[in-house]
DNA sequence: ATGCTGATCGGGATAAATCCTGGGCGCATG
DNA sequence: CATGCGCCCAGGATTTATCCCGATCAGCAT
């Protein structure tokens, strides 16, 4: 019986150590490395080709998603599990979209983590109970016109990026070399689609909505 | 040699379990309970009077700080260690201010956590190396006019709260029953103090700056 | 071809935010 | 008591944002 080789990626040393400790004391697993830097994680994954990667996705802006994509390129056989404290299904979706096989929140139990690793190692996908429950709730709820994040255009998302940085419409127009009027229309459409009424609400919405980076 | 009794408070089950596992396997410690609800934590602390509480402060808005204050009331002898993924010294200050004896980031090592528990149990204060380094760096840096978060008044912070929720100046004026002009002055002063130029930048600044709630 | 959508741009209007000026009131500290 | 500071308010100016009304054009699918 071969052990499942594991690489742990998390920017917090304490977390890495605790997981190494816990998983290392289980005969079925073998933690072959842990690192706090996404770039380093990609290197290690390329060299050691671990069976499973535990990827924390609270790391600085979206690097968890990027790292997942990179690792799948350099080591396609490696299964990746996203581990996060966020309970929004949007994170899970994004994670699977970039090539991960599993997603577990930090609300899950240790048993569930173990189960996730074993399942993913077999090539199956695994989403933790919490997220699955939320998703099925959302399905039954039949949302009465929630904000249409999906309907946002590429251009609109790009504009959102500038707004988030604190740029004014005039500045954005200059940077994209388009008319001020166009930027204003984009902003108006964004607010309408997301059912928000001003910039403050928008910025807040963005910051709690990972799908928009 | 009496064991140090420990209560673990963290809203993430996985984190609670891993710490229980690790600390429980050390003869010097005894994890007597763990809970994910701040209110429950206060109850348990009142009953069992643990020697040390590990308090995660990523829990929903400021509940970690509140819970710390409450626990110090119902069990003054209990030492509390704030545990967080945030490396800003502002958190640590706030934590000690509400009665904690220690602060450890999740970048710290397991040894450091053990040391923190032992020190705090003896009645000493303990701040992890990372934060101490940052503080001493800031002292030597002689900040060339960074944003004056400290200089914000209570009223201004209150106004910030409303802005963050997406309320307009007119709405804020109505809710606080003061003049629109006054709110505008407050907003202007806030931007000036924080050296920001518009609402978008402000909201973003807030969201990456926990010291303002 | 016809229709749809995204992106572009404009006029014109209103509301909101930003930026000045200045003043008054209460309270604490020196 | 004088000074500073927080908080309040006002007038007036400018910029920015929000919201209508349009319009053209390109691409793409039925």
């Amino acid at each position: 019986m071969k052990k499942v080789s594991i690489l742990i990626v998390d920017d917090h040393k304490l977390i890495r150590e605790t997981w190494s400790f816990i998983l290392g004391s289980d005969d079925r697993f073998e933690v072959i490395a842990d690192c706090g830097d996404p770039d380093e994680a990609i290197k290690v994954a390329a060299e050691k080709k671990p069976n499973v990667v535990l990827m924390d996705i609270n790391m600085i802006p979206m690097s968890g998603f990027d790292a997942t994509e990179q690792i799948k390129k350099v080591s396609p056989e490696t299964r990746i599990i996203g581990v996060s404290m966020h309970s929004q299904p949007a994170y899970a979706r994004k994670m699977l979209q970039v090539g991960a096989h599993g997603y577990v929140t930090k609300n899950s139990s240790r048993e569930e983590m173990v189960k996730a690793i074993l399942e993913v190692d077999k090539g199956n996908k695994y989403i933790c109970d919490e997220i699955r429950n939320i998703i099925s709730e959302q399905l039954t709820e039949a949302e009465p016109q929630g904000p249409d994040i999906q309907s946002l255009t590429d251009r609109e998302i790009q504009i959102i990026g500038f707004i988030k940085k604190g740029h004014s419409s005039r500045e954005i127009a200059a940077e994209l070399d388009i008319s001020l009027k166009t930027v204003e229309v984009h902003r108006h459409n964004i607010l309408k689609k997301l059912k928000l009424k001003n910039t403050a609400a928008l910025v807040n919405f963005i910051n709690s909505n990972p799908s928009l980076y």
Side-chain angles (χ1 to χ4, degrees), chain A residues 88-189:
Chain A
Q88 291 107 323
Y91 279 100
R93 262 187 238 111
K94 180 83 181 173
M95 211 45 199
L96 296 190
Q97 187 184 322
V98 296
H101 272 67
Y103 187 89
V104 176
T105 68
K106 290 182 180 172
N107 283 322
S108 310
S109 66
R110 203 169 69 236
E111 289 80 36
E112 191 162 15
M113 176 61 101
V114 170
K115 189 162 58 168
I117 296 175
L118 294 176
E119 280 299 314
V120 165
D121 182 52
K122 285 191 282 186
N124 300 326
K125 308 233 168 181
Y126 188 88
I127 303 288
C128 69
D129 292 338
E130 188 191 9
I131 299 287
R132 272 210 308 274
N133 287 337
I134 293 176
I135 291 177
S136 56
E137 275 174 23
Q138 287 178 347
L139 286 179
T140 55
E141 268 174 11
E143 36 177 327
Q145 298 164 338
D148 270 345
I149 313 171
Q150 310 289 358
S151 67
L152 287 175
T153 321
D154 291 344
R155 193 60 151 176
E156 285 163 349
I157 291 178
Q158 188 184 14
I159 302 274
I160 287 177
F162 285 104
I163 296 176
K164 185 175 159 170
K165 287 187 218 157
H167 297 197
S168 70
S169 295
R170 190 177 303 276
E171 289 170 337
I172 298 173
E175 283 164 309
L176 295 179
D177 196 34
I178 57 179
S179 162
L180 169 62
K181 270 297 180 182
T182 305
V183 178
E184 287 178 340
V185 170
H186 281 313
R187 293 184 73 143
H188 181 245
N189 290 337

Side-chain angles (χ1 to χ4, degrees), chain A residues 8 26 30 54 63 78 89 99-100 109 113 118 143 146 151 188 199 201:
Chain A
I8 295 172
D26 190 316
E30 183 187 10
L54 298 187
S63 57
T78 295
S109 66
M113 176 61 101
L118 294 176
E143 36 177 327
S151 67
H188 181 245
T199 308

Side-chain angles (χ1 to χ4, degrees), chain A residues 16-30:
Chain A
R16 291 201 303 274
E17 288 191 359
T18 51
W19 279 353
S20 296
F21 189 77
I22 297 226
L23 296 176
S25 65
D26 190 316
D27 286 341
R28 293 167 292 183
F29 308 128
E30 183 187 10

Side-chain angles (χ1 to χ4, degrees), chain A residues 18-84:
Chain A
T18 51
W19 279 353
S20 296
F21 189 77
I22 297 226
L23 296 176
S25 65
D26 190 316
D27 286 341
R28 293 167 292 183
F29 308 128
E30 183 187 10
V31 178
I32 56 173
D34 65 300
C35 37
D37 183 16
D39 297 326
E40 190 193 337
I42 296 166
K43 264 186 223 160
V44 174
E47 287 172 20
K48 307 202 175 180
K49 313 271 183 188
N51 298 127
V52 174
V53 173
L54 298 187
M55 172 75 65
D56 185 277
I57 58 174
N58 298 318
M59 298 181 294
I60 26 165
M62 298 308 106
S63 57
F65 296 145
D66 296 338
T68 300
E69 269 185 322
Q70 298 297 323
I71 290 178
K72 287 305 283 187
K73 280 184 193 167
V74 300
S75 177
E77 292 306 310
T78 295
R79 315 299 184 186
I80 301 172
I81 299 177
V83 186
S84 165

